[in-house]
Every structure is written in C-alpha cells, then in structure tokens.
Amino acid sequence: MGTAHRKVRERRARKQGIQVAAVRVFAEKGFSRATMEDIARQAEVSVGTIYLYYRSKEDLYVSLLFESMQRMSEAIEKIMASGLRPDRQLRRVWDYFYDYHARYPQSYRVLVFLQQPGLISGLAPKTLQEINVRAARNFSLVSRIVAAAIDKGLYRPHEPREVVDLLWSLFLGLVHLSETRKNLGVTIATLKDLHRKAFAWLEEGLRV
Amino acid sequence: MGTAHRKVRERRARKQGIQVAAVRVFAEKGFSRATMEDIARQAEVSVGTIYLYYRSKEDLYVSLLFESMQRMSEAIEKIMASGLRPDRQLRRVWDYFYDYHARYPQSYRVLVFLQQPGLISGLAPKTLQEINVRAARNFSLVSRIVAAAIDKGLYRPHEPREVVDLLWSLFLGLVHLSETRKNLGVTIATLKDLHRKAFAWLEEGLRV
Amino acid sequence: MGTAHRKVRERRARKQGIQVAAVRVFAEKGFSRATMEDIARQAEVSVGTIYLYYRSKEDLYVSLLFESMQRMSEAIEKIMASGLRPDRQLRRVWDYFYDYHARYPQSYRVLVFLQQPGLISGLAPKTLQEINVRAARNFSLVSRIVAAAIDKGLYRPHEPREVVDLLWSLFLGLVHLSETRKNLGVTIATLKDLHRKAFAWLEEGLRV
Amino acid sequence: MGTAHRKVRERRARKQGIQVAAVRVFAEKGFSRATMEDIARQAEVSVGTIYLYYRSKEDLYVSLLFESMQRMSEAIEKIMASGLRPDRQLRRVWDYFYDYHARYPQSYRVLVFLQQPGLISGLAPKTLQEINVRAARNFSLVSRIVAAAIDKGLYRPHEPREVVDLLWSLFLGLVHLSETRKNLGVTIATLKDLHRKAFAWLEEGLRV
DNA sequence: TATGAATGAGTGTTCATTCAT
DNA sequence: GATGAATGAACACTCATTCAT
C-alpha cells in the first residue's frame, strides 16, 4: 500500500529536481538559448525523462511560473495571518516581492516571458486558465490587505484593486529597469535602493 | 547633380522600409521567433538586401531601439521647448509615453529586449555604449523637467533622478501588466485607465 | 554485460559508416563543394547524426586524414618487421604508396587539403599538433629504413631525412600530375608507369 | 583610327589589372574564401566589371593559369635561346621553377586547383583545350632540352618525355610538401634547400 | 520507467551573378 | 562600357522531440 505513495513521492521529487535545474538554466541563458540538453544535464536526468513530465520546453517553462505563484500565495497568506496592522502587512508584501526576486531572479523572467507575443498561442488553454486563476488569486489576496487598511482608516479611500495593479506594476518596472541597467553595465541605482524609495513614495499617495 | 541625392534618398527609404517591416514582424513574433525571411517578405525585399543594410538580425533589432530612443528624445525636447509650466510638462511626457506605446506598441518590446540575459553579450561594445548614451540622455532630459518643477516650488524636494526612475519604471510595469493580461485574455483594466490613475497618484507623492 | 560492448561496437560502426561515406563524397566533390547533406545521404544517416560524432565539417575531414596516416604507419611498420633487406623495404614502401592511392584515391586528396591556405587557421591547435606528430612519425619510420640501407652499405651516404622528403615529394607530385591529366582528359602516361620508372631512377641516385 | 587600338589597349590593361588583383586575393584567401567583391575592391573596379571580362569566378581563376603558363613558355624559350649547354639549360629551367614559385606562389595553387575533382566539369571545353595545349607546349619545350642533352652525350639515354614528367612531378611535390609544412608551422627544411638538393640528386640519375 | 541516439525541419548568413541605370 | 544594389539559392549547424531498447 505504501508503494503507490512512494511512487507519487518519487515522481514529485523527480519533477522538483527538473524544475530546480530548469530555473537555473533558464536564468543563466534565457528561454531561447537554454536547451533541453542543458536542463537534463543540470538535473542529472536524460532528455527523454523530462518529456515524461512535461509536454514541451514551453510547458516546462510555464510550469515554473505556477510554482512561483504558489510560493507567492503562501507567502502572502502567511503575512495576512500574522495579525500585523494592514499597512505593515502591505509593507511586508512589498518586501517579499524584493526577497522573492533576490532569491529567484529567474522567476521574474518567466513573467516577462508571458508578455512575449505569439507564445501564448502555443500553450494549452488549460495552462492559460491555470495561470489566470493563480494570478487573480494573488492580486485578490493583496487587495484584501489594502481594503483592510482603508477600512481601518489607515489609507485614503482607493479602489483596492487599482492600488494593487500600481503596486505590482511599479515593482515589475523597477526590476526591469535595474536588470536592464545591470545588463548594460550601468550601476547608478541598485534595485534595493529603488525598491525602498518607491515604497516610501507610494505610501505618500496612500496615507491619510 | 540630383542623382547622388536620389541615391541617398532611395537608400534611406529602403532602410526605412526594412525597419518598418522589422518592427511589425518582431512585434508579432518576438525576437527569437521572427525570421529574417519573415522580415524580408514583409518588406518586399530579398533576404540578402537586409544584410546590405544591417550586419545581423541583432543589429537590425537594436537599430529599432535607437530609432525609438531618438523619437523619444525629440518628443521630450519639444515638450521642454513648449514654455509650459514644468509640472504640465511632466504630465505631457507621461502622456507621450502612452501615445508612444499606443502608436508603436512594437517599439516598447524592443526595450524589453535589452533585459534578456545573454543577449547583450552578443552586441558590439560600441553599440552598448551607444545605447547607454541615448538612454542616459532621455533620463537626463526628464530629470531637468522635474528639477525645474522642484525649483519653482511646484514639487516637494526630491532627487530628480530618482523621480524619473520611478516614473519610467511605473510606466514600464503598467505596460507589462496590461500586455500580459491582454495576452492571457484578461480584460479588467485598460492601459489607458491604469496610465491615467497612476499619474494622479504619482503626483500626490510629488506635489507640495 | 554485452550491452555496453554492443553500444561501443555500434558507435564505432556508425562512425566508420560516416567516414566511408565522407571519403567518397569528399573525393567526388572536394572539400568545399561537398555538403554535409551529401555525406548524410551517402551514409544513410541524418545530418544531425553526423554532428553527434564530429564537431564540424572540418573535423570530419581531418579525421579522415588521421585515419589514413594511421593506416600508413601500420603498413610501414609491417614492412619494417618483415625482415627484408632495407632497400627491398624501401621498394615495398614505395609500392605501398601506390597501392594506397589505388585503393583509397580519395584519401590522397585529404593530404592536399592541408596545403589549402587559410583553412588550417580554422583548426584547433591540438588538431594541428596531432597532425604534425603523426606526419613526423611516418617520415621518421621511412627514414629509419633509409638509414639502415646506408648502414648496410646498400645506399651511398645521404641524410636519410632528405631522402624521404624527396621520396614523398616525388610521389605526391606524380599523383598530382597524373590526376590533373586524368581530369583534363589527357592520357599519356599512367600513374603506374610513372611510379615504376620514378623508383628505378630514384635508386640510381641512391645505390652505391 | 587610333581609337580602336586605344580601346583594345585599355581593355587589355583593365583585364591585366583584374588579374593582378585576383592573383593577390586568391593567394591570400584561397579560391573558396576569396569573394568577387574582394577582387573587385583590390582591382579598384566594380564587381559588375569583372563579369564583363570573365564569365565566372572559376573562369577568372583558370585564366590566371593561362597567364602563368604563358610566362613559363617565354622563360623556357629564352633559356633555350641562350646558347648554353643543354644540361646547364635544364638547370636553369629547374631554377626558373623555383623563382616562378617564389614570385608567384599563387600560381602554383591554380595548378592544385585543377586537380580538384568535379571542378573541371564546370569549365568551358574551350578553356580545357587551351590549358592542354599550353601545358603540352611547356612539356614539349623542356623535353627538347633533355633530348639535346642526351644527343650530346651529356645524359644517359632516357625517354625525354618521362624525364620531364619526373622533373615536374618532383617540383610539384616539393612545393606541396614545403607549403604544407609551412601551414602546419613546421620549419625543418625550406623549399630552397629541398629544391637544390633534389636537382643534385636528379642529375645523378641522368648523367653518364 | 528511463535512456540517449537519431532525426530533420528550421535559421542566420554568405556570395556569385544579374541588370537597371 | 561601367556600376553596385539586389537577388535568392545554398549551406553549416542546432535542437526540440521521438522511440527502440
């Protein structure tokens, strides 16, 4: 009876291993330049094996997004359960964005990937659906924090959803800017600095 | 006498035609998925002809970036020469960002290109240098507007450069968010709305 | 137990098959005009498969050279181990040159390859080194035969190395001459005749 | 009336210029790697112009052979008209081979080129014919020198034609060997040395 | 299940040749 | 005649995907 369980566990572990390897390789080379062979080598698995778990390279790539969205959901839920004041919670979320990118800089790139035109068309509708659900969930969680802050009179009345859109956009843009600058060899402001200042400024627009 | 002039004109027109075609194709398929043959077909030119004007696919791609940076510089300079109040100028710049993306949605994607890891390494150092110079120029122009607004007491004292970083990041992020949503088939907030609200909010953090 | 062995055997056989095909195609079309697809078709293998065994067209070509140098070394060593009188051995070597060319007319052309300007620069230094070592080895083997003939008083004293240079040059030149004539449609003297007479003449300059 | 002559003169000069340029470029890059553009640039002429004088790249290449064969004929005839003893004349011819290669190392490569299989088929039959006639002429001229030396009792009786074949083969082979060695970075014997020693040895087989 | 050898379509780039001016 | 921009076929090489073992 434990056999089936073990099988499932092993399968999950194997998948996990491939994902970890994929994240590393995609991060280093980007989607196009990364090869399935690279990933297989990194995961110490044969190429064929990857195809036992993922339908295609794209599928593998997008699956990384699921994973990171999941991680983010969990992190936000943990923050929400902390009992902190809502504005402090938002601050935590914002900081989490940074930590998240610092720890998994690759994951950010998966997001950028989704913005690539023509690519989505190659994804299974089910995958697309899945992404939407998870993204909506994350947005919704943060919205609740903002709503709570407004309720408690900590923030001026705003459409919480819009605030979250701005919050997330700002973060995405900051990462993009700092990554581009790093790539170009320019070192005028680190993401850390930008990130901190951005929030201070952001709050000026929120607080009563 | 007119012959040489005509030659130059024709050459420019041909280059222009290739660029226009390239923008369209890159926009539709992204850098990796776009083929030189796609571009040639779109430009109604043979593949070889493209190589008469550009050294490589990358070179062609980057030239589009130059072009758009140039356009942006000119637009900002025009705004600065308008004699408007600095805060109104900034508003114009912000609106220009939107118009720019509305008119050349493809061009925005060229910017994203620079964030791709590993790709930069394939560019000539001179090209890199050129990009940096042009980007710095644009940032610097907008900084001057912000500085003027602070000088005139319209904005609270801030490091102008930081303000511009936030401004640009926010715009980049908004575009990114709305494009991703469009790709995913989600239609909850248009870029237009996000863009307008973002500025209102942004100014709350700036104004005295 | 046998599986690994079979794998190795199959790999060797596959490589062999590609080499045989390559020799034929290169012989027919020359290096530049031969395409990887030609070779693949001839070997009844896909293009990709060739690249599983050889890094590049050049690499494949040079490997043929190694092969033929190896064959030559072995032939000469066999002759040296025959116990024949040194002058008879030299005769055998000379005859071997002819047989070699008769059996593998293609292989001769690989030697010509090395004389092509600009091409060498594309080879790995290690490969270059390897070629030198193998060529030196062959020259050295024949030199020893000549030295032995001189020692035994069969030949007049000469620098053995120089004798071998002349011997080999003469052979190369004869092949070249006869091939060119064949290509041009001239049939005045066969390589066989030239080859025989050349040795008779050559010996007149060597014998006491 | 002088106009037609001038035209012819100019045409010849133009052809000459292209040939000189071609020799240089082919020498530097080899046939395959040399481009018509390279040659045009070197000749300070447009690509189109080359095609006014030559049907193809191959045609241009082979025309260089005509030129060098012509030069060789003239040189040999001059030697024959010198009134020297026939054996001295042969020595001169042998030396001329060396000088010829030293001055026009490229021309040697054209000869090697003709040995390339499959190429000849792309040449006009007329061109082929022309080459044969000129080659035959050169061989015949040298044969006459050898015949004279035999007649005068300076050389042992040999079939003069065979002697010339050996002579030419030996030279070709020596050039090939030394060029290959140069390419491979080996410097054990210069062509000059090989060339000198070869003749000494060659004469031992000829003299009474 | 896992493997990894084999596949072959796909791509950027080159360059001999042509032809309108 | 002379030009050189335009052409487009050709080619080496890559790599996602498959499938026999």
Side-chain angles (χ1 to χ4, degrees), chain B residues 14 46 48-49 52-53:
Chain B
R14 184 60 63 110
S46 77
T49 301
L52 243 45
Y53 295 91

Side-chain angles (χ1 to χ4, degrees), chain C residues 26-33 58 108-109 111-122 128 131-132 135 139 156 158 161-163 165-170 172-177 179-181 183-186 188-189 194 197-198 201-206, chain D residues 26-33 58 108-109 111-120 122 128 131-132 135 139 156 158 161-170 172-177 179-181 183-186 188-189 194 197-198 201-206:
Chain C
F26 281 135
E28 198 180 320
K29 306 201 165 187
F31 180 78
S32 310
R33 297 169 119 78
E58 253 176 32
Y108 160 74
R109 284 196 191 107
L111 291 170
V112 172
F113 171 75
L114 290 178
Q115 184 270 327
Q116 269 186 64
L119 233 159
I120 291 289
S121 65
L128 230 62
I131 293 172
N132 283 336
F139 272 82
R156 282 182 255 176
H158 276 290
R161 183 67 197 221
E162 282 170 20
V163 174
D165 281 356
L166 293 182
L167 195 80
W168 181 243
S169 294
L170 187 52
L172 272 187
L174 289 172
V175 170
H176 194 284
L177 181 65
E179 296 250 323
T180 304
R181 280 188 180 149
N183 277 341
L184 289 170
V186 182
I188 34 175
L194 287 170
K197 279 167 187 162
W201 189 41
L202 208 135
E203 280 205 315
E204 290 191 67
L206 282 175
Chain D
F26 281 133
E28 200 181 318
K29 306 199 164 188
F31 179 77
S32 308
R33 296 167 124 77
E58 278 173 16
Y108 161 73
R109 282 192 195 114
L111 288 171
V112 170
F113 179 77
L114 285 179
Q115 187 268 327
Q116 264 189 66
L119 206 145
I120 292 291
L128 228 63
I131 293 173
N132 282 338
F139 272 83
R156 282 182 255 176
H158 275 290
R161 182 65 197 222
E162 281 169 20
V163 173
V164 180
D165 280 356
L166 293 184
L167 194 81
W168 182 243
S169 294
L170 186 52
L172 273 187
L174 289 172
V175 170
H176 193 286
L177 181 65
E179 294 251 324
T180 303
R181 282 190 179 147
N183 276 343
L184 288 169
V186 181
I188 34 177
L194 287 170
K197 280 166 187 162
W201 190 39
L202 209 135
E203 279 204 315
E204 291 192 66
L206 283 175

Side-chain angles (χ1 to χ4, degrees), chain C residues 71-87:
Chain C
R71 257 202 299 274
M72 197 171 279
S73 285
E74 283 162 10
I76 298 171
E77 277 164 349
K78 212 168 141 192
I79 291 169
M80 289 175 80
S82 67
L84 286 171
R85 247 174 51 193
D87 54 341

Side-chain angles (χ1 to χ4, degrees), chain B residues 48-117:
Chain B
T49 301
I50 299 180
Y51 284 88
L52 243 45
Y53 295 91
Y54 300 94
R55 297 161 78 88
S56 68
K57 192 182 170 187
E58 252 175 34
D59 188 36
L60 170 55
Y61 202 85
V62 171
S63 86
L64 304 179
L65 182 59
F66 286 175
E67 205 67 12
S68 71
M69 281 175 150
Q70 187 58 31
R71 257 201 301 273
M72 195 170 280
S73 284
E74 284 161 10
I76 298 172
E77 276 164 350
K78 211 167 140 195
I79 291 168
M80 290 175 79
S82 67
L84 286 171
R85 246 176 50 194
D87 55 341
R88 300 274 160 85
Q89 285 186 19
L90 194 67
R91 172 73 205 217
R92 287 276 176 99
V93 168
W94 182 250
D95 286 347
Y96 172 74
F97 287 167
Y98 178 77
D99 294 340
Y100 168 73
H101 177 260
R103 270 197 64 183
Y104 312 101
Q106 317 85 354
S107 296
Y108 160 74
R109 290 204 185 99
V110 184
L111 290 170
V112 172
F113 171 75
L114 289 178
Q115 185 270 328
Q116 270 187 63

Side-chain angles (χ1 to χ4, degrees), chain A residues 84-91 145-146 148-149 152 154-155:
Chain A
L84 285 171
R85 247 175 50 192
D87 57 340
R88 299 275 160 86
Q89 285 186 19
L90 195 67
R91 172 74 205 217
I145 298 178
V146 175
K152 297 219 167 170
L154 297 165
Y155 289 166

Side-chain angles (χ1 to χ4, degrees), chain A residues 46 48-49 52-53:
Chain A
S46 75
T49 301
L52 291 176
Y53 296 93

